[in-house]
Amino acid sequence: MAIRPYTENYTVQFTFWILTSRTRRPTESEAAMTCLSSRDRRAATESTPSPQRRDGKFRNAAPRERPGFGKTFGIAWRVLTQKPKTTVPRAPIPVQKLDAAALAAAPDASLFRLGHSTLLLKLAGEFWLTDPVFSERASPVQWAGPKRFHAPPISIAELPPIKGVILSHDHYDHLDHAAVLELAPKVEMFITPLGVGDRLIAWGIPAAKVRQLDWWQQTALAGVRLVATPAQHFSGRGVSDGNSTLWASWVILAGDLRVFFSGDTGYHADFKTIGERFGPFDVTFMETGAYDAQWPDVHMQPEETLQAHLDLRGRWLMPLHNGTFDLAMHAWHEPFDRILALAQSRDVPLATPGMGERLSLANPQAGQRWWQSVEAAPRAAAVAQAA
């Protein structure tokens, strides 16, 4: 049984899927969720020339390390047999429930964190979503794979009409098949990197509701300008479609407001270029989680997150890609602890809204360090019980 490299198929996040996909046929629903046929995908993506595509695959600006079979097997074995208990919170994650009335009453330039990298933004009087994941598991199947620590603060049915959904790439913790289909009737436009939109169209989203961009291309919708910018990552939802779609970060410009959404990425030189061309940014939404020394090219350590924020010429930093799924070996709260200490050491203002909590993008506030109370709760309960 061959195990494909982590850098092609997210071995760490979906060990079960990778280990079993070579020994069983996927069900019809799994196959539909996973990818287009190789022939259809090639026809769709290769019809749009891109400097990022070579030999039928999208590439990073800087080559990534290929771990090989031995290292990949070691990573999978470590995940399966040495997972620390601290990767999952010992107490419930606090969630502030949202409803349509609360969203309607929110002022413009508001943000609500819904979990992981899913943000609900109110810009120019309209609502926007980034990487909407509402399913119980970030996985090709809902009976296995990384499970949510908390429920979403609002259901898709309760959401207002969405002007645009902004997608960074096609991994399961960022592109949720079930959520896309449920959202589709209330979404005006899906804005994606090249190839990701072809997946949506194959799932039944009308082509007229999809805009696909290469790095440095831009589009405008309802007074908001969106620029697809480089990221250092990879793509794929199955065992044979690695890097067949592009990954991206996003510059989001609404009037005088400038924000940056990193998507998933390792640290790279183009952060400085993005900052020079589009900064300074009022707020940067930066990946801070699911990192490990074993995969340094595709997820940033917190020190790199802070440096990327500085390269971008960001003012407020908001850490993402944490607090919802167990996707690595570090303690679930470690990304928050480390980025908080680093930000304080460099006098960088850090915004850490809880799940469902509103953050003003025009006048950000630090918010509560809510993860600290989650960690403290079991200890306090143990002390009370002992007394």
Side-chain angles (χ1 to χ4, degrees), residues 265-268 271 286-289 291-293 296 299-311 317 319 330 334-343 345-346 348:
T265 183
Y267 180 77
H268 58 88
F271 282 124
M286 302 297 291
E287 179 212 83
T288 317
Y291 50 77
D292 194 284
H299 287 297
M300 293 187 288
Q301 294 282 332
E303 292 81 1
E304 294 173 312
T305 295
L306 182 66
Q307 186 58 56
H309 170 82
L310 296 173
D311 292 349
L317 190 161
H330 58 66
E334 182 187 294
F336 297 106
D337 295 335
R338 287 178 61 182
I339 197 63
L340 175 60
L342 289 163
S345 73
R346 298 293 296 272
V348 171

Side-chain angles (χ1 to χ4, degrees), residues 12 31 47 62 66 75 78 109 131 135 139 157 168-169 174 221 244 251 253 264 281 285 287 307 311 327 334 368:
V12 171
S47 64
R66 298 284 180 176
I75 292 172
R78 181 170 164 239
D131 289 355
S135 291
S139 172
S168 65
H169 64 299
H174 294 262
L221 183 66
S244 62
V251 170
L253 310 172
D264 276 8
F281 292 98
F285 312 130
E287 179 212 83
Q307 186 58 56
D311 292 349
L327 302 177
E334 182 187 294
Q368 300 295 315

Side-chain angles (χ1 to χ4, degrees), residues 362-373:
N363 185 29
Q365 301 294 323
Q368 300 295 315
R369 308 312 187 189
W370 55 269
W371 66 94
Q372 296 173 348
S373 63

Side-chain angles (χ1 to χ4, degrees), residues 14 22 167 251 383:
F14 309 116
R22 293 300 185 90
L167 295 171
V251 170
V383 170

Side-chain angles (χ1 to χ4, degrees), residues 42-348:
R42 282 197 302 270
T45 57
E46 291 181 4
S47 64
T48 305
S50 169
Q52 279 57 254
R53 187 192 295 111
R54 296 190 300 276
D55 301 323
K57 299 288 187 179
F58 287 98
R59 314 283 176 171
N60 287 299
R64 291 182 291 107
E65 175 190 357
R66 298 284 180 176
F69 174 82
K71 183 176 179 180
T72 300
F73 184 84
I75 292 172
W77 182 256
R78 181 170 164 239
V79 170
L80 287 169
T81 64
Q82 302 174 27
K83 195 77 163 176
K85 293 181 179 180
T86 55
T87 60
V88 176
R90 295 186 296 164
I93 298 288
V95 176
Q96 296 187 25
K97 294 292 291 181
L98 292 170
D99 57 28
L103 297 179
D108 209 40
S110 288
L111 173 147
F112 299 89
R113 188 173 184 198
L114 305 188
H116 199 52
S117 296
T118 305
L119 304 175
L120 179 64
L121 301 98
K122 192 173 187 177
L123 304 173
E126 304 283 356
F127 287 96
W128 304 73
L129 276 170
T130 66
D131 289 355
V133 174
F134 287 78
S135 291
E136 181 75 3
R137 296 181 185 271
S139 172
V141 294
Q142 288 301 295
W143 46 267
K147 187 176 181 180
R148 301 184 73 97
F149 301 157
H150 62 87
I154 189 170
S155 69
I156 292 176
E158 295 173 300
L159 284 172
I162 304 297
K163 181 58 65 172
V165 168
I166 304 165
L167 295 171
S168 65
H169 64 299
D170 67 3
H171 286 153
Y172 289 93
D173 59 322
H174 294 262
L175 180 60
D176 179 348
H177 174 264
V180 165
L181 295 187
E182 188 175 352
L183 279 165
K186 60 175 60 183
V187 173
E188 181 172 324
M189 192 66 60
F190 291 87
I191 302 100
T192 83
L194 289 179
V196 178
D198 295 321
R199 292 198 185 278
L200 304 189
I201 294 167
W203 293 348
I205 305 300
K209 296 180 69 167
V210 177
R211 294 184 190 176
Q212 305 190 63
L213 277 66
D214 201 348
W215 292 349
W216 304 117
Q217 291 182 339
Q218 56 185 283
T219 189
L221 183 66
V224 174
R225 185 156 60 107
L226 303 162
V227 186
T229 44
Q232 182 170 291
H233 203 54
F234 64 107
S235 68
R237 292 172 71 84
V239 296
S240 61
D241 65 343
N243 295 344
S244 62
T245 64
L246 187 59
W247 46 95
S249 57
W250 291 91
V251 170
I252 305 171
L253 310 172
D256 295 331
L257 181 69
R258 293 174 174 264
V259 297
F260 176 81
F261 174 58
S262 72
D264 276 8
T265 183
Y267 180 77
H268 58 88
D270 275 321
F271 282 124
K272 288 186 177 180
T273 306
I274 297 166
E276 290 167 357
R277 292 180 62 172
F278 297 103
F281 292 98
D282 299 290
V283 187
T284 66
F285 312 130
M286 302 297 291
E287 179 212 83
T288 317
Y291 50 77
D292 194 284
Q294 295 297 311
W295 49 89
D297 298 336
V298 295
H299 287 297
M300 293 187 288
Q301 294 282 332
E303 292 81 1
E304 294 173 312
T305 295
L306 182 66
Q307 186 58 56
H309 170 82
L310 296 173
D311 292 349
L312 289 162
R313 299 195 292 151
R315 183 172 171 240
W316 282 80
L317 190 161
M318 179 179 161
L320 299 179
H321 206 253
N322 48 47
T324 301
F325 295 111
D326 172 12
L327 302 177
M329 300 292 281
H330 58 66
W332 77 271
H333 56 85
E334 182 187 294
F336 297 106
D337 295 335
R338 287 178 61 182
I339 197 63
L340 175 60
L342 289 163
Q344 290 174 337
S345 73
R346 298 293 296 272
D347 294 324
V348 171

